[in-house]
Every structure is written in structure tokens, then in C-alpha cells.
Amino acid sequence: MIRKEDLPLVVDESMNEVHFEEVEMINSFLGQLDEKADFDTLADSFEELLAHMQEHFAGEEKLMKESRFPSYRLHKGEHDKILNEARYIYMDWRTRKESEPLREYFEEDIAQWLDQHIKAMDIPMAQFLKDGVVQCSIR
Ligand SMILES: [Fe+2]
């Protein structure tokens, strides 16, 4: 499980809401893995989660474009990379049907990615949307 309380917060409430929703979906998926839900149930949840990630990223990218956020390409690059990786993990799971690597992927890789991505990318972006200036440099 990923603790919602551990998620770093940005200054934009609607962005925080989307992050919370995503963590809830991940946690309910992990719960289904615990309960050994059937393949179709897990596949549906995983696909919903991928769709949510895609929408979440597209929403941020739209805001960045509209405000001409300077680190747009770097930020979008991180979104594209994790989305492709998650899609690959999904296809791999459909073939192998092993749930343990999935659990590890969400509890470790995705949890760590979310924490680092929000801190390095989303926090400065939300601050920029609010103030119109970049306060932290991204290195
Ligand atoms: Fe982001």
C-alpha cells in the first residue's frame, strides 16, 4: 500500500486530488492482488489505472503548455517514460500472469517514482502556475 499521507503536496489542490485518486486506485489494485482476484478483474483495474495515469499526465501537460512552463519537455519526458513502462509491465503480466512482480512494481518502483516526480517536477510546476515564475531550478 502507498500511504496517501506520505504523498508530497503541491500548491494546486486539483493536482493533489488527482494524485490522491491515483494512489487510491493503486491501493485498491494491490488489495485485489492480496485477495487473489481473478484475471479479468485485475486486468480491468490495471487498464483503468493506466487510463487514469494517461489522463493525469495529459491534464498536467495541458496546463504546462497553456502557461508556457519552461521545463515542459523534461516533465513530459518523465510522464511518457513511466507510462510506457507501466504499459509494458501490464503486457508482461498478461503473458506471465505472475502477481508478485506486479506488487513489487507498484509498491516500490511506482511509489518511489511518484514521490520523486512530485517533488522534482510537479511542485515547481504548480508553483509556476500560481506565481508565473520558476522558483526552483530542476537539475
Ligand atoms: Fe507530473
Side-chain angles (χ1 to χ4, degrees), residues 19 56-57 60 75 79 113 117 121-122 125:
H19 293 157
H56 155 203
F57 297 155
E60 286 182 13
H75 194 152
H79 289 167
W113 184 87
H117 178 83
M121 303 269 156
D122 292 346
M125 174 213 154

Side-chain angles (χ1 to χ4, degrees), residues 10 15 19 56-65 69-83 113-114 116-126 128-129 138:
V10 305
M15 282 174 70
H19 293 157
H56 155 203
F57 297 155
E60 286 182 13
E61 287 157 19
K62 186 167 176 278
L63 288 173
M64 284 192 277
K65 270 198 153 173
F69 181 61
S71 303
Y72 171 80
R73 284 179 58 190
L74 185 68
H75 194 152
K76 182 176 175 8
E78 277 216 358
H79 289 167
D80 290 347
K81 199 168 160 236
I82 197 77
L83 194 54
W113 184 87
L114 263 178
Q116 286 172 1
H117 178 83
I118 294 172
K119 285 178 183 159
M121 303 269 156
D122 292 346
I123 287 177
M125 174 213 154
F128 177 83
L129 291 178
I138 298 164

Side-chain angles (χ1 to χ4, degrees), residues 14-132:
S14 61
M15 282 174 70
N16 287 328
E17 281 308 314
V18 174
H19 293 157
F20 288 145
E21 269 172 27
E22 204 149 287
V23 164
E24 272 171 25
M25 289 176 82
I26 292 169
N27 285 341
S28 84
F29 181 70
L30 289 168
Q32 289 176 339
L33 282 177
D34 282 343
E35 294 156 10
K36 304 200 185 319
D38 61 68
F39 180 81
D40 289 341
T41 306
L42 291 172
D44 285 349
S45 300
F46 205 148
E47 283 178 25
E48 274 173 35
L49 185 52
L50 288 173
H52 189 275
M53 285 171 78
Q54 194 177 2
E55 253 179 71
H56 155 203
F57 297 155
E60 286 182 13
E61 287 157 19
K62 186 167 176 278
L63 288 173
M64 284 192 277
K65 270 198 153 173
E66 284 168 359
S67 64
R68 296 171 182 270
F69 181 61
S71 303
Y72 171 80
R73 284 179 58 190
L74 185 68
H75 194 152
K76 182 176 175 8
E78 277 216 358
H79 289 167
D80 290 347
K81 199 168 160 236
I82 197 77
L83 194 54
N84 283 334
E85 187 182 273
R87 284 178 177 144
Y88 173 81
I89 295 282
Y90 173 62
M91 294 312 292
D92 192 55
W93 166 75
R94 285 193 68 97
T95 317
R96 295 169 195 264
K97 301 182 176 63
E98 286 170 5
S99 60
E100 214 35 52
L102 266 193
R103 176 190 313 286
E104 270 177 36
Y105 179 67
F106 282 104
E107 285 189 334
E108 290 169 29
D109 301 44
I110 288 281
Q112 208 174 69
W113 184 87
L114 263 178
D115 180 70
Q116 286 172 1
H117 178 83
I118 294 172
K119 285 178 183 159
M121 303 269 156
D122 292 346
I123 287 177
M125 174 213 154
Q127 198 66 49
F128 177 83
L129 291 178
K130 193 170 170 242
D131 303 338

